């Protein structure tokens, strides 16, 4: 696959994180009952960055967690015979809290559906919201993000590649085709 364009650089990603952070604060009238849960792999560092930014803005630390949805995938048998489980780590009670699921790219909606199933096995939140760095369209399920860093219309043949300093050594969002 060749790189068609660089859609976001480090500064654009930082601005998107700041905007999403402000929107979470505004929609929830503060962050007292908010928990951010990153969907592994790249949703975790994005959730941590949002939590850091919210703390800078509000002066209130937001709890974070990480979720591995591997066993909840509807295509698990198609992609791997022996799946690698990276573990879910949510050390706070999510019951009656506002949980914001965080992921890098929203595409078909199947990853989010898996995350919702996994979350409901853990507890019963008051509300579940979704924050994504990039929404590329092509939904197969009736799922939409509450907070979006950037909307990028794509063809189904294109790929959105999110690279983060924490996992890949640089911050960028590229479209490949």
């Amino acid at each position: 696959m060749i790189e068609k364009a660089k859609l976001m650089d480090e500064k654009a990603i930082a601005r998107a994180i700041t905007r999403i952070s402000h929107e979470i604060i505004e929609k929830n009238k503060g962050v007292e009952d908010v928990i951010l849960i990153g969907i592994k792999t790249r949703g975790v560092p994005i959730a941590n960055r949002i939590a850091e930014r919210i703390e800078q803005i509000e002066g209130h630390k937001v709890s974070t967690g990480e979720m591995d949805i591997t066993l909840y995938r509807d295509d698990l048998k198609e992609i791997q015979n022996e799946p690698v489980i990276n573990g879910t780590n949510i050390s706070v009670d999510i019951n009656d809290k506002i949980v914001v699921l965080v992921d890098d790219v929203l595409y078909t909606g199947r990853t989010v559906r898996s995350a919702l199933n996994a979350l409901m096995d853990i507890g019963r939140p008051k509300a579940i919201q979704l924050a994504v760095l990039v929404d590329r369209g092509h939904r197969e399920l009736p799922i939409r993000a509450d907070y979006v860093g950037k909307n990028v219309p794509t063809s189904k043949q294109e790929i959105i590649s999110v690279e983060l300093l924490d996992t890949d050594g640089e911050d960028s969002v590229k479209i490949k085709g």
Side-chain angles (χ1 to χ4, degrees):
M1 295 233 133
I2 61 165
E3 183 180 319
K4 290 184 170 183
K6 188 172 189 175
L7 303 172
M8 298 174 83
D9 61 10
E10 183 179 338
K11 288 183 180 179
I13 291 172
R15 285 190 299 271
I17 297 290
T18 297
R19 186 174 56 256
I20 290 169
S21 301
H22 279 287
E23 289 174 359
I24 290 170
I25 294 164
E26 289 172 22
K27 182 171 185 166
N28 297 297
K29 297 175 179 61
V31 290
E32 298 303 316
D33 288 331
V34 173
I35 300 168
L36 299 170
I37 298 178
I39 299 171
K40 289 191 174 180
T41 296
R42 286 171 187 81
V44 173
I46 295 170
N48 291 334
R49 290 182 191 189
I50 292 169
E52 289 169 11
R53 191 68 184 111
I54 287 173
E55 186 173 6
Q56 291 169 352
I57 296 164
E58 288 288 287
H60 180 81
K61 187 167 178 57
V62 177
S63 296
T64 60
E66 32 189 80
M67 176 177 288
D68 183 345
I69 54 99
T70 303
L71 293 177
Y72 291 87
R73 293 179 59 113
D74 59 7
D75 61 350
L76 185 60
K77 289 184 177 143
E78 296 169 24
I79 59 169
Q80 273 181 318
N81 286 335
E82 294 184 33
V84 176
I85 309 302
N86 295 313
T88 293
N89 180 11
I90 301 171
S91 59
V92 294
D93 183 11
I94 65 166
N95 290 302
D96 295 319
K97 301 291 185 194
I98 298 166
V99 172
V100 181
L101 289 173
V102 182
D103 205 4
D104 57 347
V105 178
L106 178 56
Y107 181 33
T108 62
R110 292 183 180 278
T111 297
V112 175
R113 186 215 38 94
S114 297
L116 291 169
N117 288 346
L119 197 60
M120 298 312 282
D121 281 351
I122 296 168
R124 184 175 166 84
K126 178 176 13 176
I128 302 171
Q129 300 169 359
L130 176 62
V132 296
L133 187 59
V134 178
D135 184 345
R136 64 170 289 190
H138 303 288
R139 221 70 78 239
E140 294 174 2
L141 299 171
I143 290 173
R144 68 165 180 80
D146 298 279
Y147 315 103
V148 177
K150 186 171 186 73
N151 285 294
V152 180
T154 62
S155 75
K156 288 188 176 188
Q157 290 72 39
E158 293 173 317
I159 291 179
I160 297 292
S161 173
V162 174
E163 296 179 352
L164 298 173
L165 192 58
D166 316 70
T167 55
D168 309 295
E170 76 165 317
D171 279 349
S172 68
V173 176
K174 301 171 186 168
I175 188 165
K176 298 178 179 182

